[in-house]
Amino acid sequence: MFQGVDHIGVGVGDLDAALGFYGGIGFSQVLFDYTGEVPGSELFGPSRRRARVAMIANPSATPVGPARLKLVQVLDGDGPPPAPAGQGWGEIGVCEICLHVRGVQAVHDRLVAELGARSLMAPLSGSVMPNDVSLDIAYVADPWGGKIEMIEWTGLWRSLPGPPRAEGVNHVAFGVADVARSRRFYERLGFGELLFESTEFFEPMAGWYDRDLPGQHMIMTMAAQGAGIEPCRLTPLGPDCRGEWGRLGPMEFAVGVSSLASALRELAAQGVQVLGEPRLLEVGGGEWRYAYLAEPDGNYVSLVEARY
Ligand SMILES: [Fe+2]
């Protein structure tokens, strides 16, 4: 029933420019492009926001990078709220999208040279425990500062043949206050397999914090389908970086379900609370059904049944 991470919501300053940027990365398929009130956004702020929302997919996506992106440009008030102050990486709140790519070095260099992305971490190779899975990674920032990780799981999956390219979303990272509590919560949403666990500070991120370097405890868990999750606990915790809904940068994500109604029934039986009502929007000839969940740290997380 639960199908892993379906999409990550990313706040942008200009949706047309964002379609150009993320289209250049390969997310060229626009599943819907909606402008209007966004039901559910009132759960995370003083009032319901009006926004332009585009759900985009990468036709090169494979099972190891299957998720989509939801670009959000808040239109009312003063426009998109700013990115949270003090966000290095791993504070409470969504902090990155991670794309699966073939050829990390080549894709990183092309994003910087041709799309105007800013390099945040030069490409490097490593491996993660406990299963010694090797990987290549790099980070760039999108035009509004949102962090984009690129990963090739060389010890897990070497991609389909072909030229260097970014594929779909592999995982989402977000900060939590208690890794064990979050792991239990997301196990109920289908994230049962541990890919790695690390308690060492990831040194290439040292320049991202505007304060003394925190300790980092991160895990990544996967469902059988969809993208994975990467909860991280910082010590000390650092500022609350959830920000307002729709703020610039990666700010929310959704877990795919085959049926929203039966997923909500199952979660209710397990004591998982839904925030407000399930929502239904008509979008471009299809239906967008979703419901926000009471996540342990108040991160913006929904279930989505995609009929578009
Ligand atoms: Fe990551």
Side-chain angles (χ1 to χ4, degrees):
M1 171 182 316
F2 298 106
Q3 303 173 328
V5 171
D6 176 90
H7 67 260
I8 304 177
V10 184
V12 299
D14 178 321
L15 209 123
D16 287 320
L19 286 174
F21 179 82
Y22 284 99
I25 296 178
F27 288 79
S28 56
Q29 192 179 3
V30 179
L31 298 168
F32 67 77
D33 188 341
Y34 167 86
T35 298
E37 291 198 341
V38 182
S41 55
E42 73 280 2
L43 296 166
F44 310 121
S47 60
R48 184 173 289 195
R49 304 307 304 256
R50 189 178 141 74
R52 184 175 166 196
V53 179
M55 190 74 74
I56 57 174
N58 187 324
S60 297
T62 66
V64 81
R68 296 161 171 174
L69 292 174
K70 185 177 79 184
L71 304 176
V72 176
Q73 181 188 353
V74 170
L75 298 173
D76 56 5
D78 296 327
Q87 188 176 40
W89 190 90
E91 299 80 8
I92 302 292
V94 174
C95 55
E96 72 174 28
I97 64 179
C98 177
L99 307 177
H100 189 75
V101 309
R102 176 177 176 84
V104 168
Q105 179 86 52
V107 174
H108 167 274
D109 293 352
R110 185 166 60 79
L111 261 56
V112 171
E114 295 174 18
L115 293 175
R118 186 162 49 91
S119 180
L120 293 176
M121 187 188 293
L124 59 93
S125 301
S127 68
V128 285
M129 296 298 155
N131 297 313
D132 198 20
V133 178
S134 61
L135 68 148
D136 298 338
I137 73 165
Y139 275 86
V140 298
D142 79 5
W144 301 277
K147 287 187 174 73
I148 302 174
E149 180 182 16
M150 289 160 288
I151 203 161
E152 184 165 11
W153 286 107
T154 54
L156 189 63
W157 171 270
R158 285 244 41 147
S159 309
L160 295 174
R165 61 169 177 264
E167 299 178 344
V169 171
N170 175 265
H171 65 261
V172 57
F174 53 98
V176 304
D178 182 332
V179 169
R181 178 180 69 171
S182 294
R183 188 170 176 184
R184 282 194 304 276
F185 177 81
Y186 284 101
E187 269 173 356
R188 288 180 288 180
L189 300 188
F191 295 88
E193 298 297 334
L194 180 73
L195 178 53
F196 80 83
E197 176 158 24
S198 166
T199 52
E200 272 167 47
F201 185 82
F202 188 32
E203 203 53 41
M205 291 179 174
W208 297 1
Y209 296 89
D210 59 6
R211 56 188 189 275
D212 289 345
L213 296 183
Q216 292 178 331
H217 176 194
M218 59 182 97
I219 62 170
M220 188 175 298
T221 60
M222 323 263 319
Q225 305 175 52
I229 56 170
E230 187 181 26
C232 178
R233 155 78 203 204
L234 298 183
T235 304
L237 271 178
D240 182 337
C241 289
R242 289 173 297 163
E244 284 183 52
W245 184 88
R247 54 86 171 168
L248 296 177
M251 53 94 192
E252 67 167 346
F253 66 93
V255 173
V257 290
S258 52
S259 160
L260 187 57
S262 48
L264 291 176
R265 264 199 308 277
E266 179 174 322
L267 289 176
Q270 297 188 57
V272 174
Q273 257 187 308
V274 174
L275 298 175
E277 298 298 309
R279 318 287 170 154
L280 169 60
L281 283 180
E282 302 288 337
V283 285
E287 284 178 0
W288 176 21
R289 294 166 183 246
Y290 58 98
Y292 281 96
L293 298 178
E295 201 263 358
D297 295 284
N299 282 301
Y300 309 149
V301 177
S302 59
L303 298 179
V304 66
E305 180 186 331
R307 296 190 176 187
Y308 36 77

